[in-house]
Amino acid sequence: MTASATPTDAAQPTEIDNASVRDASAITLRNLHKRFSGDAIALDGVDLEIRAGEFFTLLGPSGCGKTTLLRLLAGLEAPNEGSLTIGGKDVTETPPHLRSVNTVFQSYALFPHLSVHDNIAFGLRMKGIPAAERERRVQEIADFIKLGSLLERRVNQLSGGQRQRIALARALVCEPDVLLLDEPLSALDAGLRTQLQVELQRTQKRLGMTFVFVTHDQDEAMVMSDRIAVLDSGIIQQVGPPHEVYERPINAFVARFMGHVNLFDIQGIHDVTVTTALGELAMEAPLQPGKHGGVMLIRQEVIELGPTVSEGYNGLDGVVKERHYRGSRIEYRLEVNGQPLMATASNLGQRLYAVGDRIKVSIHPEDVVRIEA
Amino acid sequence: MNHTSESPYPLARHSHSMSPDTRHLLWSVAPGVAWIVIFLVLPSLYLIGVAFMTNGPYGQPQMPLSLDAFRQLAGFGFLGWSPGNLYTLLRSLWQTLVATGLVILVAYPLAYYISTCRDKLRPIMLLAVVVPSWTNQVIRAFGWMNLLSPGTPLADAAQALGLIGPNMGLYPSNFAVTLGLIYNFLPFMVLPLYAAFEKLDMALVEAARDLYASPVRAFWHAVFPQTLSGLLAGTVLVSIPAFGMYVIPELLGGGKAMMLGNLVANQFSGGSNWPLGAAGALIMLVATFGGLYAMRKVGKRLGGGEEVVI
């Protein structure tokens, strides 16, 4: 499988070109609804285009419907409404064993009664691939994930990281059009996790396969993904490349979920002046007509601290209430006009402020953003 | 040797006298060991001894040692060879095989069904499976007699279908024995299978489906291996007592459906040939161990080398 469509950047987030629609691994979801017994709504009208060869992440808190969406793609659940096409072919009613889609499960779900080799070979066996080719492909993938020496071991003799790789190999060896990954790294410790994040991303780029990755960890999502869909309550809140979702969240939920933000309810907007509990701040551009209310967003890392207010910036008086030293950056909890304000400064060797210090807070009008509540 | 008393490992002491811990341990297992020696090991040794002795004029075992009993069991008597005992032996094996197989066929889906029931319903369903076995086996066998004898609806239905002749009953017959065995041993298969189904990992089934296994193949590759230990445990619990079953063939079988258990019992009572009875019991014992060994092998093979504990 080769990369037939390279992931595009923020410039055309919702446009899909015809080539990728024709490609066997592009996914289209139309108006998907899923209800479980007891009236629990897992998906409430999901429309989504996933491009061929893309590393796409479904991001959201637990219970947001992201795993349900993945299971619909795998065919392990059927939607109550809506349609699902993979590579232009409607697979809404297709049972899982007839879809060219494989899953890396959160629990790995390796077969405990089979050896590592037989686990990896399982899908090929079920597909009826001849033994010789099967052996070749198992050997190839085992070398690829550097587990060639473990093939005769039993699954329960392996560490978490090794199991994760085998689960990945078991799915990859089938060379599916789409690979689904259900929080495959959540059970691993932080170091291994970071390492496997990079490996996964590299593997995806190398194979050019469409990856749909589910996680609740926004850092993980941003590190690996070409595009991210943020879900809440069974509804897609925002779709876009990591930097877009992080820097220009569409509403307060996405902003809060991506983290490192200050949010204030807007009390009034007059031209480019927005009034909140923090005081009056200038924005870059006036509010679009027809919009009112909402929430003011200021990212933590855009706030500048110093003895004076920078030229052309909004200036506020603040007091340092807490300081969290994190090595590469320093987080300050300030109090401004009786309101808490979080500011994060990169550690460039500048002086550290102490708790109780009175400082000037500078915020550029460009960084004062109004979003939907 | 003063320093040894301070050793943190009581069992590693150089002293020959036992530590208090060891002594406590011995006292606590002693009654169990005595029980097993007195009521299992010694009688078994006695039984084996008797099997190799000669039959006395009143049926009592006596010297010299000989293989007479086994020769008789194989059918060689005063009047030359007759196949009766061999038939009994083969019938026992066949009945055990058929009954165990049918019990599996009934119990497997039943256990699965119970495991999918609502939390509140499950204990009730399990109770319904187990409760009949709280009644005495003999009484239950009599119950079947009443259901299967000539003139009952079941017998009439069988006659109408031409399965049995006119004015015949379904009992006494081999069929009645099989039915009795299935009925009697069903709970012993359902319970271990239910335990296996209850902790069934559905993620494995989904993984198999995801990896191109059709529903049937997903069952065989992902469900069946998970229930194997329960299935083998149930098979042991059913087949071993079924092979030596006495009450059911005695009551439901009539003379032509005798099993090994009846043959053995007859030698110790009416037939009065203790060595022959002991030889039959010994065959049962050997068959049981052989069966257990074979089951272990099968379990290991299907379990992918994993020890399946029976």
Side-chain angles (χ1 to χ4, degrees), chain A residues 87-99:
Chain A
K89 210 179 92 197
D90 191 312
V91 293
T92 316
E93 306 287 329
T94 310
H97 67 289
L98 300 178
R99 295 186 188 197

Side-chain angles (χ1 to χ4, degrees), chain B residues 245-266:
Chain B
M245 179 51 87
Y246 168 74
V247 175
I248 289 169
E250 185 74 15
L251 295 178
L252 295 174
K256 286 184 179 168
M258 206 161 110
M259 286 172 66
L260 197 55
N262 310 90
L263 183 112
V264 169
N266 287 348

Side-chain angles (χ1 to χ4, degrees), chain A residues 3 129 131 181 253 306 329:
Chain A
I129 306 287
L181 302 106
F253 172 81
R329 63 184 200 276

Side-chain angles (χ1 to χ4, degrees), chain B residues 205-286:
Chain B
V205 184
E206 293 186 339
R209 298 282 285 127
D210 186 66
L211 291 160
Y212 312 106
S214 64
V216 173
R217 298 178 92 183
F219 167 80
W220 178 246
H221 291 289
V223 178
F224 183 74
Q226 292 193 64
T227 58
L228 186 65
S229 61
L231 191 65
L232 289 178
T235 303
V236 168
L237 289 176
V238 171
S239 60
I240 290 173
F243 187 62
M245 179 51 87
Y246 168 74
V247 175
I248 289 169
E250 185 74 15
L251 295 178
L252 295 174
K256 286 184 179 168
M258 206 161 110
M259 286 172 66
L260 197 55
N262 310 90
L263 183 112
V264 169
N266 287 348
Q267 302 318 314
F268 283 104
S269 53
S272 295
N273 187 343
W274 280 36
L276 179 56
L282 197 57
I283 295 288
M284 263 190 227
L285 208 64
V286 170

Side-chain angles (χ1 to χ4, degrees), chain B residues 11-224:
Chain B
L11 294 173
R13 285 180 189 177
H14 297 284
S15 160
H16 287 285
S17 67
M18 277 186 285
S19 74
D21 283 356
T22 315
R23 219 172 297 135
H24 279 144
L25 194 68
L26 279 183
W27 275 117
S28 60
V29 298
V33 171
W35 180 275
I36 289 172
V37 168
I38 294 169
F39 293 107
L40 181 71
V41 177
L42 292 180
S44 299
L45 288 175
Y46 177 66
L47 188 82
I48 293 169
V50 168
F52 290 97
M53 286 162 88
T54 318
N55 192 27
Y58 306 105
Q60 82 280 25
Q62 62 181 31
M63 292 312 243
L65 294 179
S66 75
L67 292 173
D68 273 1
F70 292 94
R71 237 174 261 131
Q72 288 170 34
L73 196 65
F76 297 100
F78 299 115
L79 308 168
W81 185 75
S82 80
N85 287 347
L86 277 187
Y87 277 157
T88 303
L89 193 63
L90 285 177
R91 194 182 296 118
S92 294
L93 283 172
W94 175 247
Q95 283 283 20
T96 304
L97 213 67
V98 170
T100 308
L102 290 173
V103 164
I104 290 171
L105 283 186
V106 176
Y108 203 89
L110 180 62
Y112 172 71
Y113 173 74
I114 295 175
S115 75
T116 60
C117 283
R118 281 178 293 117
D119 284 357
K120 278 187 176 174
L121 208 58
R122 262 181 280 159
I124 299 171
M125 302 285 280
L126 284 175
L127 208 63
V129 171
V130 174
V131 160
S133 65
W134 293 355
T135 315
N136 188 299
Q137 220 177 44
V138 177
I139 294 169
R140 281 179 289 149
F142 272 106
W144 278 110
M145 286 178 176
N146 285 329
L147 287 170
L148 300 174
S149 51
T152 59
L154 278 176
D156 289 346
Q159 273 177 33
L161 289 168
L163 295 172
I164 51 173
N167 302 321
M168 295 276 285
L170 286 162
Y171 132 88
S173 66
N174 277 310
F175 167 76
V177 175
T178 311
L179 200 63
L181 289 175
I182 294 169
Y183 174 72
N184 190 63
F185 287 113
L186 191 65
F188 297 93
M189 187 63 83
V190 171
L191 292 181
L193 276 176
Y194 168 78
F197 274 119
E198 207 198 10
K199 52 175 201 264
L200 193 75
D201 186 356
M202 279 310 285
L204 295 181
V205 184
E206 293 186 339
R209 298 282 285 127
D210 186 66
L211 291 160
Y212 312 106
S214 64
V216 173
R217 298 178 92 183
F219 167 80
W220 178 246
H221 291 289
V223 178
F224 183 74

Side-chain angles (χ1 to χ4, degrees), chain A residues 232-281:
Chain A
D232 182 40
S233 318
I235 295 167
I236 292 191
Q237 305 288 328
Q238 187 170 3
V239 184
H243 62 88
E244 192 179 288
V245 176
Y246 182 78
E247 289 165 22
R248 280 181 275 152
I250 205 162
N251 60 30
F253 172 81
V254 176
R256 246 183 233 114
F257 196 79
M258 298 310 290
H260 311 297
V261 292
N262 295 288
L263 296 171
F264 295 94
D265 286 334
I266 292 175
Q267 293 161 351
I269 298 185
H270 185 70
D271 195 27
V272 294
T273 308
V274 58
T275 312
T276 66
L278 210 56
E280 286 192 353
L281 293 174

